[in-house]
Coordinates of all heavy atoms in Angstrom, one line a residue:
M1021 N -16.9 6.1 10.0 CA -15.8 5.1 9.9 C -16.4 3.7 10.1 O -16.9 3.4 11.1 CB -14.8 5.4 11.1 CG -13.5 4.6 11.0 SD -12.6 4.9 9.6 CE -12.2 6.7 9.8
S1022 N -16.5 3.0 9.0 CA -17.2 1.7 9.1 C -16.2 0.5 8.7 O -16.7 -0.6 8.7 CB -18.4 1.8 8.1 OG -17.9 2.1 6.8
C1023 N -15.0 0.8 8.4 CA -14.1 -0.3 7.8 C -13.9 -1.3 8.9 O -13.3 -1.0 10.0 CB -12.8 0.3 7.4 SG -11.5 -0.9 7.0
P1024 N -14.2 -2.6 8.6 CA -14.0 -3.6 9.6 C -12.6 -4.3 9.4 O -12.3 -5.1 10.2 CB -15.0 -4.7 9.2 CG -15.3 -4.5 7.8 CD -15.0 -3.0 7.5
H1025 N -11.9 -3.8 8.4 CA -10.6 -4.5 8.0 C -9.4 -4.0 8.8 O -8.6 -4.8 9.3 CB -10.3 -4.4 6.6 CG -11.4 -4.7 5.6 ND1 -12.3 -3.8 5.1 CD2 -11.9 -6.0 5.3 CE1 -13.2 -4.5 4.5 NE2 -13.0 -5.8 4.5
V1026 N -9.3 -2.7 9.0 CA -8.0 -2.1 9.4 C -7.8 -2.6 10.9 O -6.6 -2.8 11.2 CB -8.1 -0.6 9.4 CG1 -9.1 0.0 10.3 CG2 -6.7 0.0 9.5
S1027 N -8.7 -2.9 11.7 CA -8.5 -3.3 13.1 C -8.0 -4.7 13.2 O -7.5 -5.2 14.3 CB -9.7 -3.1 13.9 OG -10.7 -3.8 13.4
T1028 N -8.1 -5.5 12.1 CA -7.8 -6.9 12.1 C -6.3 -7.1 11.5 O -5.8 -8.2 11.5 CB -8.7 -7.7 11.3 OG1 -8.5 -7.4 9.8 CG2 -10.2 -7.5 11.8
L1029 N -5.7 -6.0 11.1 CA -4.5 -6.2 10.4 C -3.3 -6.4 11.4 O -3.3 -5.8 12.5 CB -4.1 -4.9 9.7 CG -5.0 -4.6 8.5 CD1 -4.7 -3.2 7.9 CD2 -4.8 -5.6 7.4
A1030 N -2.4 -7.3 11.0 CA -1.2 -7.5 11.8 C 0.1 -7.1 10.9 O 0.5 -7.9 10.2 CB -1.0 -8.9 12.3
P1031 N 0.3 -5.8 10.8 CA 1.3 -5.3 9.8 C 2.6 -5.9 9.9 O 3.1 -6.3 10.9 CB 1.3 -3.8 10.2 CG 0.1 -3.5 11.0 CD -0.1 -4.8 11.7
V1032 N 3.2 -6.2 8.7 CA 4.5 -6.7 8.6 C 5.4 -5.7 7.9 O 4.9 -4.7 7.2 CB 4.6 -7.9 7.8 CG1 3.8 -9.0 8.6 CG2 3.9 -7.8 6.4
A1033 N 6.7 -5.9 7.9 CA 7.7 -5.0 7.3 C 7.6 -5.0 5.8 O 7.2 -6.0 5.2 CB 9.2 -5.3 7.7
P1034 N 7.8 -3.8 5.2 CA 7.8 -3.8 3.7 C 8.8 -4.8 3.1 O 9.9 -4.9 3.6 CB 8.3 -2.3 3.5 CG 8.1 -1.5 4.7 CD 8.2 -2.5 5.8
R1035 N 8.3 -5.6 2.1 CA 9.2 -6.6 1.4 C 10.2 -5.9 0.6 O 11.4 -6.5 0.5 CB 8.3 -7.5 0.6 CG 7.2 -8.2 1.4 CD 6.7 -9.4 0.8 NE 6.2 -9.3 -0.6 CZ 5.1 -9.8 -1.0 NH1 4.2 -10.4 -0.1 NH2 4.7 -9.7 -2.3
T1036 N 9.9 -4.8 -0.1 CA 10.9 -4.1 -0.9 C 10.9 -2.6 -0.5 O 10.4 -1.9 -1.3 CB 10.7 -4.3 -2.4 OG1 9.2 -4.0 -2.6 CG2 10.8 -5.7 -2.8
P1037 N 11.6 -2.3 0.6 CA 11.5 -0.9 0.9 C 12.1 0.1 0.0 O 11.8 1.3 0.1 CB 12.2 -0.8 2.3 CG 12.9 -2.1 2.4 CD 12.2 -3.1 1.5
Q1038 N 12.9 -0.4 -1.0 CA 13.5 0.5 -1.9 C 12.6 0.9 -3.1 O 13.0 1.7 -3.9 CB 14.8 -0.2 -2.4 CG 14.6 -1.5 -3.3 CD 14.5 -2.7 -2.5 OE1 13.9 -2.7 -1.4 NE2 15.0 -3.9 -3.1
G1039 N 11.4 0.2 -3.3 CA 10.6 0.6 -4.3 C 9.5 -0.4 -4.6 O 9.3 -1.4 -3.9
C1040 N 8.8 -0.2 -5.7 CA 7.7 -1.1 -6.2 C 8.3 -2.6 -6.5 O 9.3 -2.6 -7.4 CB 7.1 -0.5 -7.4 SG 5.8 -1.8 -8.1
E1041 N 7.8 -3.5 -5.9 CA 8.3 -4.9 -6.1 C 8.4 -5.3 -7.6 O 9.4 -5.8 -8.1 CB 7.5 -5.9 -5.2 CG 8.0 -7.3 -5.2 CD 7.3 -8.2 -4.2 OE1 6.9 -7.6 -3.1 OE2 7.2 -9.4 -4.4
E1042 N 7.3 -5.2 -8.3 CA 7.3 -5.6 -9.6 C 8.1 -4.7 -10.6 O 8.7 -5.2 -11.5 CB 5.7 -5.6 -10.2 CG 5.0 -6.8 -9.6 CD 4.3 -6.5 -8.3 OE1 4.6 -5.4 -7.7 OE2 3.3 -7.2 -7.9
C1043 N 8.0 -3.4 -10.3 CA 8.7 -2.4 -11.1 C 10.2 -2.7 -11.0 O 11.0 -2.5 -11.9 CB 8.4 -1.0 -10.9 SG 6.8 -0.5 -11.4
L1044 N 10.7 -3.0 -9.8 CA 12.2 -3.2 -9.6 C 12.5 -4.5 -10.5 O 13.7 -4.5 -11.0 CB 12.4 -3.6 -8.1 CG 12.3 -2.3 -7.2 CD1 12.3 -2.9 -5.7 CD2 13.5 -1.4 -7.4
K1045 N 11.7 -5.5 -10.6 CA 12.0 -6.6 -11.4 C 12.1 -6.4 -12.9 O 12.8 -6.9 -13.6 CB 10.9 -7.7 -11.1 CG 11.2 -8.5 -9.9 CD 10.1 -9.6 -9.7 CE 10.1 -10.1 -8.3 NZ 8.7 -10.6 -8.0
T1046 N 11.1 -5.5 -13.3 CA 11.0 -5.2 -14.8 C 11.8 -4.0 -15.2 O 12.0 -3.7 -16.4 CB 9.6 -5.0 -15.2 OG1 9.1 -3.8 -14.4 CG2 8.7 -6.2 -14.8
G1047 N 12.4 -3.2 -14.2 CA 13.1 -2.0 -14.5 C 12.2 -0.8 -14.9 O 12.6 0.1 -15.6
S1048 N 11.0 -0.9 -14.6 CA 10.0 0.1 -14.8 C 10.1 1.2 -13.8 O 10.7 1.0 -12.7 CB 8.5 -0.5 -14.9 OG 7.7 0.5 -15.4
G1049 N 9.4 2.3 -14.0 CA 9.4 3.4 -13.1 C 8.1 3.6 -12.4 O 7.1 3.0 -12.8
W1050 N 8.1 4.5 -11.3 CA 6.8 4.7 -10.6 C 6.7 6.2 -10.2 O 7.7 6.9 -10.2 CB 6.6 3.8 -9.5 CG 7.8 4.0 -8.4 CD1 7.9 4.9 -7.5 CD2 8.9 3.1 -8.3 NE1 9.1 4.7 -6.8 CE2 9.8 3.6 -7.3 CE3 9.3 1.9 -9.0 CZ2 11.0 3.1 -6.9 CZ3 10.7 1.4 -8.6 CH2 11.4 1.9 -7.7
V1051 N 5.5 6.6 -9.8 CA 5.3 7.9 -9.3 C 5.3 8.0 -7.8 O 6.1 8.7 -7.2 CB 4.1 8.5 -9.9 CG1 3.9 10.0 -9.4 CG2 4.0 8.5 -11.5
H1052 N 4.4 7.3 -7.2 CA 4.3 7.2 -5.8 C 4.2 5.7 -5.4 O 3.8 4.8 -6.2 CB 3.1 7.9 -5.3 CG 3.2 9.4 -5.5 ND1 2.2 10.1 -6.2 CD2 4.0 10.3 -5.1 CE1 2.5 11.4 -6.3 NE2 3.7 11.5 -5.6
L1053 N 4.5 5.5 -4.1 CA 4.5 4.1 -3.5 C 3.4 3.9 -2.6 O 3.0 4.8 -1.8 CB 5.8 3.7 -3.0 CG 7.0 3.6 -4.0 CD1 8.3 3.5 -3.2 CD2 6.8 2.6 -5.0
R1054 N 2.8 2.7 -2.5 CA 1.8 2.2 -1.6 C 2.2 1.0 -0.9 O 2.8 0.2 -1.6 CB 0.5 2.0 -2.2 CG 0.1 3.2 -3.1 CD -0.5 4.4 -2.2 NE -0.9 5.5 -3.0 CZ -0.2 6.6 -3.1 NH1 0.8 6.9 -2.4 NH2 -0.6 7.7 -3.9
L1055 N 1.9 0.9 0.4 CA 2.3 -0.3 1.2 C 1.1 -1.1 1.4 O 0.1 -0.6 2.2 CB 3.0 0.1 2.4 CG 3.4 -0.9 3.5 CD1 4.4 -2.0 2.9 CD2 3.8 -0.3 4.8
C1056 N 1.1 -2.5 1.2 CA 0.0 -3.3 1.6 C 0.1 -3.6 3.1 O 1.1 -4.1 3.5 CB 0.0 -4.6 0.8 SG -1.2 -5.7 1.3
L1057 N -0.9 -3.4 3.8 CA -0.9 -3.5 5.3 C -1.1 -4.9 5.7 O -1.1 -5.3 6.9 CB -1.8 -2.5 6.0 CG -1.4 -1.0 5.8 CD1 -2.3 -0.2 6.7 CD2 0.1 -0.8 6.0
T1058 N -1.4 -5.8 4.7 CA -1.7 -7.2 5.1 C -0.5 -8.0 4.9 O 0.0 -8.8 5.7 CB -2.8 -7.8 4.1 OG1 -4.0 -7.0 4.2 CG2 -3.1 -9.2 4.5
C1059 N 0.4 -7.8 3.8 CA 1.5 -8.7 3.5 C 2.8 -7.9 3.3 O 3.9 -8.5 3.2 CB 1.2 -9.5 2.3 SG 1.3 -8.6 0.8
G1060 N 2.8 -6.6 3.4 CA 4.1 -5.8 3.2 C 4.5 -5.6 1.7 O 5.6 -5.1 1.5
H1061 N 3.6 -5.9 0.8 CA 3.9 -5.6 -0.5 C 4.0 -4.2 -0.8 O 3.1 -3.4 -0.3 CB 2.8 -6.2 -1.4 CG 2.9 -5.9 -2.9 ND1 2.2 -4.8 -3.5 CD2 3.5 -6.5 -3.9 CE1 2.5 -4.7 -4.7 NE2 3.3 -5.7 -5.1
V1062 N 5.1 -3.7 -1.6 CA 5.2 -2.3 -1.9 C 4.8 -2.2 -3.4 O 5.5 -3.0 -4.2 CB 6.5 -1.8 -1.5 CG1 6.7 -0.3 -2.1 CG2 6.9 -1.9 -0.2
G1063 N 3.8 -1.4 -3.7 CA 3.4 -1.3 -5.2 C 3.3 0.1 -5.5 O 3.3 1.1 -4.7
C1064 N 3.2 0.4 -6.9 CA 3.2 1.8 -7.4 C 1.7 2.2 -7.5 O 0.8 1.4 -7.6 CB 3.9 1.9 -8.6 SG 3.5 0.7 -9.9
C1065 N 1.5 3.5 -7.4 CA 0.2 4.1 -7.3 C -0.5 4.2 -8.6 O 0.0 3.9 -9.6 CB 0.3 5.5 -6.7 SG 1.0 6.7 -7.9
D1066 N -1.8 4.7 -8.6 CA -2.6 4.7 -9.9 C -2.1 5.8 -10.8 O -2.5 5.8 -11.9 CB -4.1 4.9 -9.5 CG -4.6 3.6 -8.9 OD1 -4.0 2.6 -9.0 OD2 -5.8 3.7 -8.4
S1067 N -1.2 6.7 -10.4 CA -0.7 7.6 -11.4 C 0.6 7.0 -12.1 O 1.2 7.7 -12.9 CB -0.3 9.0 -10.6 OG -1.3 9.5 -10.0
S1068 N 1.1 5.9 -11.6 CA 2.2 5.3 -12.2 C 1.7 4.4 -13.4 O 0.6 4.1 -13.5 CB 2.9 4.2 -11.2 OG 3.2 5.1 -10.0
P1069 N 2.7 4.1 -14.3 CA 2.2 3.4 -15.6 C 1.7 2.0 -15.3 O 0.8 1.6 -16.0 CB 3.5 3.3 -16.4 CG 4.5 4.4 -15.8 CD 4.1 4.6 -14.4
N1070 N 2.1 1.4 -14.3 CA 1.7 0.0 -14.1 C 0.8 -0.4 -12.9 O 0.2 -1.4 -12.8 CB 3.1 -0.9 -13.8 CG 4.0 -0.8 -15.1 OD1 3.5 -1.3 -16.2 ND2 5.1 -0.3 -14.9
R1071 N 0.5 0.7 -12.1 CA -0.5 0.5 -11.0 C -0.5 -0.7 -10.2 O -1.4 -1.3 -10.0 CB -1.9 0.7 -11.6 CG -1.9 2.1 -12.5 CD -3.4 2.2 -13.0 NE -3.5 3.5 -13.8 CZ -4.5 4.0 -14.2 NH1 -5.7 3.3 -14.2 NH2 -4.5 5.2 -14.9
H1072 N 0.8 -1.1 -9.8 CA 1.0 -2.4 -9.2 C 0.2 -2.5 -7.8 O -0.1 -3.6 -7.3 CB 2.4 -2.7 -9.1 CG 3.0 -3.2 -10.3 ND1 4.1 -2.6 -10.9 CD2 2.7 -4.1 -11.2 CE1 4.4 -3.1 -12.1 NE2 3.5 -4.1 -12.3
A1073 N 0.1 -1.3 -7.1 CA -0.6 -1.4 -5.8 C -2.0 -1.8 -6.0 O -2.5 -2.7 -5.3 CB -0.5 0.0 -5.1
T1074 N -2.8 -1.2 -6.9 CA -4.1 -1.6 -7.1 C -4.3 -3.0 -7.7 O -5.1 -3.8 -7.2 CB -4.8 -0.6 -8.0 OG1 -4.8 0.7 -7.4 CG2 -6.2 -1.0 -8.4
K1075 N -3.4 -3.4 -8.5 CA -3.4 -4.7 -9.1 C -3.2 -5.7 -8.0 O -3.9 -6.8 -7.9 CB -2.3 -4.9 -10.2 CG -2.7 -4.4 -11.4 CD -1.6 -4.5 -12.5 CE -1.8 -3.8 -13.8 NZ -0.7 -3.6 -14.6
H1076 N -2.3 -5.4 -7.0 CA -2.0 -6.3 -5.9 C -3.3 -6.5 -5.0 O -3.6 -7.6 -4.6 CB -0.9 -5.9 -5.1 CG -0.7 -6.6 -3.7 ND1 0.0 -7.9 -3.8 CD2 -1.0 -6.3 -2.5 CE1 0.0 -8.2 -2.5 NE2 -0.6 -7.4 -1.8
V1077 N -4.0 -5.4 -4.8 CA -5.2 -5.4 -3.9 C -6.2 -6.4 -4.5 O -6.7 -7.2 -3.8 CB -5.8 -4.0 -3.9 CG1 -7.2 -4.0 -3.3 CG2 -4.9 -3.2 -2.9
H1078 N -6.4 -6.3 -5.8 CA -7.5 -7.2 -6.4 C -7.0 -8.6 -6.6 O -7.7 -9.6 -6.4 CB -7.8 -6.6 -7.8 CG -8.5 -5.2 -7.6 ND1 -9.6 -5.1 -7.0 CD2 -8.2 -4.1 -8.1 CE1 -10.1 -3.9 -6.9 NE2 -9.1 -3.1 -7.6
K1079 N -5.7 -8.8 -6.9 CA -5.2 -10.2 -7.1 C -5.1 -10.9 -5.8 O -5.5 -12.0 -5.6 CB -3.8 -10.0 -7.8 CG -3.4 -11.4 -8.5 CD -2.1 -11.1 -9.3 CE -0.9 -11.8 -8.7 NZ 0.3 -11.5 -9.3
A1080 N -4.5 -10.2 -4.7 CA -4.2 -10.8 -3.4 C -5.5 -10.8 -2.5 O -5.6 -11.6 -1.6 CB -3.1 -10.2 -2.8
G1081 N -6.4 -9.9 -2.9 CA -7.5 -9.6 -1.9 C -7.2 -9.0 -0.6 O -7.8 -9.3 0.5
H1082 N -6.1 -8.2 -0.7 CA -5.7 -7.4 0.6 C -6.2 -6.0 0.5 O -5.8 -5.3 -0.4 CB -4.2 -7.4 0.6 CG -3.6 -8.7 0.8 ND1 -2.3 -9.0 0.5 CD2 -4.1 -9.9 1.2 CE1 -2.0 -10.4 0.7 NE2 -3.1 -10.9 1.2
P1083 N -7.2 -5.7 1.3 CA -7.9 -4.4 1.0 C -7.3 -3.1 1.5 O -7.7 -2.1 0.9 CB -9.3 -4.6 1.8 CG -8.9 -5.6 2.9 CD -7.8 -6.4 2.4
V1084 N -6.4 -3.1 2.4 CA -6.0 -1.9 3.0 C -4.5 -1.6 2.6 O -3.6 -2.3 2.8 CB -6.1 -1.9 4.5 CG1 -5.7 -0.5 5.1 CG2 -7.5 -2.3 4.9
V1085 N -4.2 -0.4 2.0 CA -2.9 0.1 1.8 C -2.6 1.4 2.5 O -3.6 2.1 2.8 CB -2.7 0.3 0.2 CG1 -3.0 -0.9 -0.6 CG2 -3.5 1.4 -0.2
A1086 N -1.4 1.7 2.8 CA -1.0 3.0 3.3 C 0.0 3.7 2.3 O 0.7 3.0 1.5 CB -0.3 2.9 4.6
S1087 N 0.0 5.0 2.3 CA 1.0 5.6 1.6 C 2.4 5.3 2.1 O 2.7 5.2 3.3 CB 0.8 7.2 1.7 OG 1.9 7.9 1.0
F1088 N 3.3 5.0 1.1 CA 4.8 4.7 1.5 C 5.6 5.9 1.0 O 6.8 5.7 0.6 CB 5.2 3.5 0.8 CG 6.3 2.8 1.5 CD1 6.4 2.6 2.8 CD2 7.4 2.4 0.7 CE1 7.6 2.1 3.5 CE2 8.6 1.8 1.2 CZ 8.7 1.6 2.6
E1089 N 5.0 7.1 0.9 CA 5.8 8.3 0.6 C 6.3 8.9 1.8 O 5.7 8.9 2.9 CB 4.9 9.3 -0.1 CG 4.5 8.8 -1.5 CD 5.7 8.6 -2.4 OE1 6.5 9.5 -2.6 OE2 5.9 7.4 -2.9
P1090 N 7.5 9.5 1.7 CA 8.2 10.2 3.0 C 7.1 11.2 3.5 O 6.8 12.1 2.9 CB 9.4 10.8 2.4 CG 9.7 10.0 1.1 CD 8.3 9.5 0.6
G1091 N 6.9 11.1 4.8 CA 6.2 12.1 5.5 C 4.7 12.0 5.4 O 3.9 12.5 6.1
E1092 N 4.2 11.1 4.5 CA 2.7 10.9 4.3 C 2.2 9.9 5.2 O 2.8 8.8 5.4 CB 2.4 10.5 2.8 CG 2.5 11.7 1.9 CD 1.8 11.3 0.5 OE1 1.1 10.3 0.4 OE2 2.0 12.1 -0.4
R1093 N 1.0 10.2 5.9 CA 0.5 9.3 6.9 C -1.0 9.2 6.7 O -1.8 9.9 7.2 CB 0.8 9.8 8.3 CG 2.2 9.9 8.8 CD 2.8 8.4 8.8 NE 4.2 8.4 9.3 CZ 5.2 8.5 8.4 NH1 5.0 8.5 7.1 NH2 6.5 8.4 8.7
W1094 N -1.4 8.3 5.6 CA -2.8 8.0 5.5 C -2.9 6.6 5.0 O -2.0 6.0 4.5 CB -3.4 9.0 4.5 CG -2.7 9.1 3.1 CD1 -1.8 10.1 2.8 CD2 -3.0 8.2 2.0 NE1 -1.4 9.9 1.5 CE2 -2.1 8.7 1.0 CE3 -3.7 7.1 1.7 CZ2 -2.0 8.1 -0.3 CZ3 -3.6 6.5 0.5 CH2 -2.8 7.1 -0.5
A1095 N -4.0 6.0 5.2 CA -4.3 4.7 4.6 C -5.7 4.7 4.1 O -6.5 5.5 4.3 CB -4.2 3.7 5.8
W1096 N -5.9 3.7 3.2 CA -7.1 3.6 2.3 C -7.5 2.1 2.2 O -6.8 1.3 2.0 CB -6.8 4.1 1.0 CG -7.9 4.1 0.0 CD1 -8.2 3.2 -0.9 CD2 -9.0 5.0 -0.1 NE1 -9.4 3.5 -1.6 CE2 -9.9 4.6 -1.1 CE3 -9.3 6.2 0.6 CZ2 -11.1 5.4 -1.4 CZ3 -10.4 7.0 0.2 CH2 -11.3 6.5 -0.7
C1097 N -8.9 2.0 2.5 CA -9.5 0.7 2.3 C -10.2 0.6 1.0 O -11.1 1.4 0.8 CB -10.4 0.3 3.5 SG -11.2 -1.3 3.3
Y1098 N -9.7 -0.2 0.1 CA -10.4 -0.4 -1.2 C -11.7 -1.0 -1.0 O -12.6 -0.7 -1.9 CB -9.5 -1.3 -2.1 CG -8.3 -0.6 -2.8 CD1 -7.1 -0.4 -2.1 CD2 -8.3 -0.2 -4.1 CE1 -6.1 0.2 -2.7 CE2 -7.3 0.4 -4.7 CZ -6.1 0.7 -4.0 OH -5.1 1.3 -4.6
A1099 N -12.0 -1.9 -0.2 CA -13.2 -2.6 0.0 C -14.3 -1.6 0.4 O -15.4 -1.6 0.0 CB -13.1 -3.8 1.0
D1100 N -14.0 -0.7 1.3 CA -15.0 0.2 1.8 C -14.9 1.6 1.1 O -15.7 2.4 1.3 CB -14.7 0.4 3.4 CG -15.0 -0.9 4.1 OD1 -16.1 -1.4 4.0 OD2 -14.2 -1.3 4.8
E1101 N -13.8 1.8 0.3 CA -13.6 3.0 -0.4 C -13.6 4.2 0.6 O -14.4 5.1 0.3 CB -14.6 3.2 -1.5 CG -14.5 2.1 -2.5 CD -15.4 2.4 -3.7 OE1 -16.6 2.7 -3.6 OE2 -14.9 2.2 -4.9
E1102 N -12.9 4.0 1.6 CA -12.7 5.2 2.6 C -11.4 5.2 3.2 O -10.6 4.2 3.2 CB -13.8 5.1 3.7 CG -13.5 3.9 4.6 CD -14.6 3.9 5.8 OE1 -15.7 4.6 5.6 OE2 -14.3 3.1 6.7
E1103 N -11.0 6.5 3.6 CA -9.8 6.6 4.3 C -9.9 6.0 5.6 O -10.9 6.2 6.4 CB -9.3 8.1 4.3 CG -8.0 8.3 4.9 CD -7.4 9.7 4.7 OE1 -8.0 10.5 3.8 OE2 -6.4 10.1 5.3
V1104 N -8.9 5.4 6.2 CA -8.9 4.7 7.5 C -7.6 5.2 8.2 O -6.7 5.6 7.7 CB -8.8 3.2 7.4 CG1 -10.2 2.7 6.7 CG2 -7.7 2.7 6.6
P1105 N -7.7 5.1 9.6 CA -6.5 5.6 10.4 C -5.4 4.7 10.2 O -5.6 3.4 10.0 CB -7.1 5.6 11.9 CG -8.4 4.7 11.8 CD -8.8 4.7 10.4
V1106 N -4.2 5.2 10.1 CA -3.0 4.4 10.0 C -2.7 3.7 11.3 O -2.6 4.4 12.4 CB -1.7 5.3 9.7 CG1 -0.4 4.4 9.6 CG2 -1.9 6.0 8.3
P1107 N -2.7 2.4 11.3 CA -2.5 1.7 12.7 C -1.1 2.0 13.3 O -0.2 2.2 12.5 CB -2.5 0.2 12.2 CG -3.3 0.2 11.0 CD -2.9 1.5 10.3
A1108 N -1.1 2.1 14.5 CA 0.1 2.6 15.2 C 1.3 1.6 15.0 O 2.4 2.0 14.9 CB -0.1 2.6 16.8
A1109 N 0.9 0.3 14.7 CA 1.9 -0.7 14.5 C 2.6 -0.5 13.2 O 3.7 -1.0 12.9 CB 1.4 -2.0 14.7
V1110 N 2.0 0.2 12.3 CA 2.5 0.4 10.9 C 3.4 1.5 10.8 O 4.4 1.6 10.0 CB 1.3 0.7 9.9 CG1 1.8 1.0 8.6 CG2 0.4 -0.5 9.9
K1111 N 3.2 2.5 11.7 CA 4.0 3.7 11.6 C 5.6 3.6 11.6 O 6.2 4.3 10.8 CB 3.6 4.8 12.7 CG 2.2 5.3 12.4 CD 1.7 6.3 13.5 CE 0.2 6.7 13.1 NZ -0.5 7.3 14.2
P1112 N 6.1 2.7 12.4 CA 7.5 2.5 12.3 C 8.0 2.1 10.9 O 9.2 2.3 10.6 CB 7.8 1.4 13.3 CG 6.7 1.5 14.2 CD 5.5 1.8 13.3
Y1113 N 7.1 1.5 10.1 CA 7.6 1.0 8.8 C 7.5 2.0 7.7 O 8.0 1.9 6.6 CB 6.7 -0.2 8.4 CG 6.9 -1.4 9.2 CD1 5.7 -2.0 9.8 CD2 8.1 -1.9 9.6 CE1 5.9 -3.2 10.6 CE2 8.3 -3.0 10.4 CZ 7.2 -3.6 10.9 OH 7.3 -4.8 11.7
L1114 N 6.8 3.2 8.0 CA 6.6 4.2 7.0 C 7.8 5.1 6.9 O 8.7 5.1 7.8 CB 5.4 5.0 7.3 CG 4.0 4.2 7.3 CD1 2.9 5.1 7.7 CD2 3.8 3.4 6.1
R1115 N 7.9 5.9 5.8 CA 9.1 6.7 5.6 C 8.9 8.0 6.0 O 7.9 8.5 6.3 CB 9.5 6.6 4.2 CG 9.7 5.2 3.7 CD 10.5 5.2 2.3 NE 9.7 5.7 1.3 CZ 10.1 6.0 0.0 NH1 11.4 5.9 -0.2 NH2 9.3 6.5 -0.8
Ligands
LIG1327 ZN1 -12.2 -1.8 5.1
LIG1328 ZN1 5.0 -0.9 -10.0
LIG1329 ZN1 -0.7 -7.7 0.2

């Protein structure tokens, strides 16, 4: 466990808990949802046509996302390319 990012996060509530922020605007669909633990952006996963979660990571420079799927509890750091523990402060925001 070497990720220096996850312990510095101050998680915020999901901005669009009903789905992917960009897909909701364009009327597109998604497969799974990911939550940015830096700013609360909700984006769609890499199996979705538009991959907004990964695009957000690179555009915004926010490295850590968590699964926003019901019952799933895992987080991933893109910068370190490793799974990281879900911070306790994030858990109330997950589904
Ligand atoms: Zn990291
Ligand atoms: Zn999307
Ligand atoms: Zn973000």
Side-chain angles (χ1 to χ4, degrees):
M1021 192 59 62
S1022 56
C1023 173
H1025 308 99
V1026 68
S1027 59
T1028 68
L1029 296 170
V1032 295
R1035 299 202 307 228
T1036 53
Q1038 68 274 35
C1040 171
E1041 187 168 327
E1042 286 90 346
C1043 286
L1044 287 169
K1045 282 182 194 150
T1046 61
S1048 189
W1050 58 80
V1051 180
H1052 296 119
L1053 295 172
R1054 305 288 179 249
L1055 172 66
C1056 173
L1057 298 189
T1058 305
C1059 71
H1061 173 269
V1062 177
C1064 48
C1065 73
D1066 287 350
S1067 301
S1068 307
N1070 296 301
R1071 304 181 179 186
H1072 286 124
T1074 296
K1075 283 180 188 164
H1076 172 79
V1077 164
H1078 294 300
K1079 202 171 109 190
H1082 296 161
V1084 186
V1085 302
S1087 174
F1088 198 53
E1089 289 302 304
E1092 284 192 10
R1093 294 293 179 270
W1094 56 264
W1096 178 262
C1097 179
Y1098 280 80
D1100 296 303
E1101 297 186 316
E1102 69 178 12
E1103 191 168 341
V1104 294
V1106 178
V1110 172
K1111 288 178 182 165
Y1113 296 131
L1114 300 180
R1115 300 198 292 169

